[in-house]
Amino acid sequence: QVQLVESGGGLVQPGGSLRLSCVASERTVSTYTMGWFRQALGKERDVVATITWNAGNTYYADSVKGRFTISRDNAKNTVYLQMNNLKPEDTAVYYCAARPLYRSDYTYWGQGTQVTVSS
């Protein structure tokens, strides 16, 4: 059973930056597509960014393009989300998720980390 643990959330002022990290318990995730999702209070969970196993392909939601960057270090079983120029509407719980090669859905999820953007 793969476990994912996020960290790096917190309170930041508008225009500020945060870097989220997600560490996986098993090296097998180096072959998985990884994603960051977020869920604001009272809203559905939405995809923020995804990255393929070799970082060859990335995807970003329109709302974060040019501000967020997803990356991974397979040697450390870790995926990152660098968030710059944060806006109040970025406030949400951010989740890391892993999608095995043989699956069409994200099978493994972290517990989430809160990001609050407020002055």
Side-chain angles (χ1 to χ4, degrees):
Q1 181 76 9
V2 174
Q3 294 184 342
L4 303 174
V5 179
E6 303 100 332
S7 62
L11 173 64
V12 63
Q13 292 186 344
S17 298
L18 284 174
R19 188 176 83 154
L20 305 183
S21 299
C22 171
V23 180
S25 60
E26 297 184 12
R27 188 165 292 279
T28 52
V29 296
S30 65
T31 64
Y32 296 177
T33 291
M34 301 295 293
W36 284 98
F37 295 74
R38 67 185 181 186
Q39 186 169 21
L41 194 62
K43 296 186 177 181
E44 294 185 353
R45 186 160 56 189
D46 292 325
V47 61
V48 175
T50 65
I51 186 167
T52 52
W53 71 275
N54 62 352
N57 286 292
T58 57
Y59 164 85
Y60 295 94
D62 287 342
S63 58
V64 306
K65 281 182 181 177
R67 300 187 299 122
F68 290 11
T69 302
I70 189 171
S71 62
R72 66 190 298 164
D73 185 341
N74 287 338
K76 296 182 179 180
N77 298 344
T78 303
V79 62
Y80 304 98
L81 185 68
Q82 178 66 44
M83 306 186 294
N84 297 328
N85 190 20
L86 282 160
K87 304 176 180 181
E89 51 264 43
D90 295 318
T91 295
V93 178
Y94 284 71
Y95 298 90
C96 172
R99 180 170 66 84
L101 290 175
Y102 52 87
R103 295 291 298 263
S104 60
D105 61 330
Y106 284 82
T107 306
Y108 305 106
W109 292 83
Q111 82 289 349
T113 185
Q114 176 71 46
V115 172
T116 302
V117 185
S118 175
S119 56

